[in-house]
Amino acid sequence: MSDSDLVRGLREHDPAEFRRACDRYLPSLWRYVCTRVDGDPHVAEDIVAETMLAFIQAVDRAGDAASIVNPGAWLRTVATNKVQDYFRATARVRRLVDEVRHNSPEADDSGDPVKRKEREERRAEVRQVMDQLPDQYRIALEWKYLDKLSVREIARRWGAKEKAVESILFRARNEFRERLKKKDSDPVEPIRQTSRTTP
């Protein structure tokens, strides 16, 4: 069966074609992603799942489906973008949450009231986004980036498996990133200073 036949079958929501797609593309996609996330199986699992979901959604859209000439290459391209998003989100969350932790102005802007004000407003925005997250996501991020707990320790506190904690952290970072991106694109509104206590 050709790639175009498989895409056509997926557009018709044929379960057999979905199984064929998984058999044909999942093993290589898994290896491709896993090697790019330092062999972390939990992160790889989430990215592969998101990539396959994006594939199925694209197949359902006529314009997108027509552009999927080589599904394997399409999947690798999307997976690469999601891997990059994962590392960017991880770095950004770590940096922004660390800013909340360190409240004293940095030396290079201590004499500049404008820069100091901008930094304070940014911290307030980050705190506000953290406050708006579901409790599970907020606590996971605080424990990971403020309290510097390992995934194993978070799992122990929650009585959960490490795989479950990795998945929660993955979703929490994405949610944090998306909410902060939305706030950055929204019209400027006064930021209310909020207090933060770590549970």
Side-chain angles (χ1 to χ4, degrees):
M1 172 178 287
S2 68
D3 287 336
S4 59
D5 290 336
L6 188 144
V7 169
R8 190 178 307 110
L10 289 172
R11 286 203 68 199
E12 295 170 357
H13 302 281
D14 184 342
E17 296 306 323
F18 180 74
R19 286 193 295 274
R20 285 196 188 91
C22 289
D23 291 342
R24 183 178 297 185
Y25 303 118
L26 267 182
S28 62
L29 182 64
W30 169 265
R31 288 191 295 271
Y32 181 83
V33 171
C34 204
T35 58
R36 284 159 177 78
V37 294
D38 303 321
D40 188 320
H42 311 315
V43 174
E45 184 176 296
D46 282 327
I47 291 176
V48 168
E50 285 192 359
T51 301
M52 289 300 293
L53 177 60
F55 177 61
I56 298 303
Q57 290 173 337
V59 165
D60 271 344
R61 296 188 292 265
D64 291 343
S67 68
I68 304 177
V69 178
N70 183 336
W74 190 97
L75 287 165
R76 285 192 296 275
T77 299
V78 172
T80 297
N81 292 336
K82 290 187 179 297
V83 168
Q84 292 170 349
D85 286 345
Y86 162 75
F87 282 115
R88 278 195 294 264
T90 301
R92 193 177 190 207
V93 170
R94 182 180 292 113
R95 176 174 57 80
L96 291 173
V97 174
D98 280 347
E99 282 185 10
V100 176
R101 189 181 189 191
H102 303 291
N103 289 319
S104 59
E106 293 185 0
D108 62 350
D109 66 16
S110 58
D112 188 331
V114 174
K115 287 185 178 179
R116 185 163 59 248
K117 180 64 174 175
E118 289 175 351
R119 183 175 294 279
E120 289 170 356
E121 289 177 351
R122 189 58 169 172
R123 288 190 188 114
E125 286 180 351
V126 173
R127 283 195 296 270
Q128 196 173 71
V129 170
M130 289 287 285
D131 287 340
Q132 293 168 353
L133 291 175
D135 285 345
Q136 187 183 52
Y137 289 178
R138 176 180 54 77
I139 292 169
L141 291 177
E142 287 178 347
W143 282 351
K144 177 67 174 174
Y145 297 111
L146 295 182
D147 298 338
K148 308 296 184 184
L149 298 183
S150 67
V151 170
R152 177 174 296 179
E153 178 61 20
I154 295 172
R156 187 190 66 76
R157 285 191 178 189
W158 270 339
K161 294 183 178 180
E162 290 181 36
K163 177 178 179 180
V165 172
E166 286 283 6
S167 293
I168 291 167
L169 282 167
F170 180 87
R171 294 193 297 272
R173 284 187 290 256
N174 283 345
E175 182 74 10
F176 178 91
R177 181 189 63 194
E178 292 304 317
R179 285 177 183 256
L180 193 62
K181 186 188 301 181
K182 183 178 185 301
K183 179 171 285 293
D184 288 343
S185 64
D186 283 345
V188 177
E189 296 180 357
I191 300 295
R192 289 191 302 108
Q193 297 290 336
T194 59
S195 60
R196 162 63 37 237
T197 57
T198 303

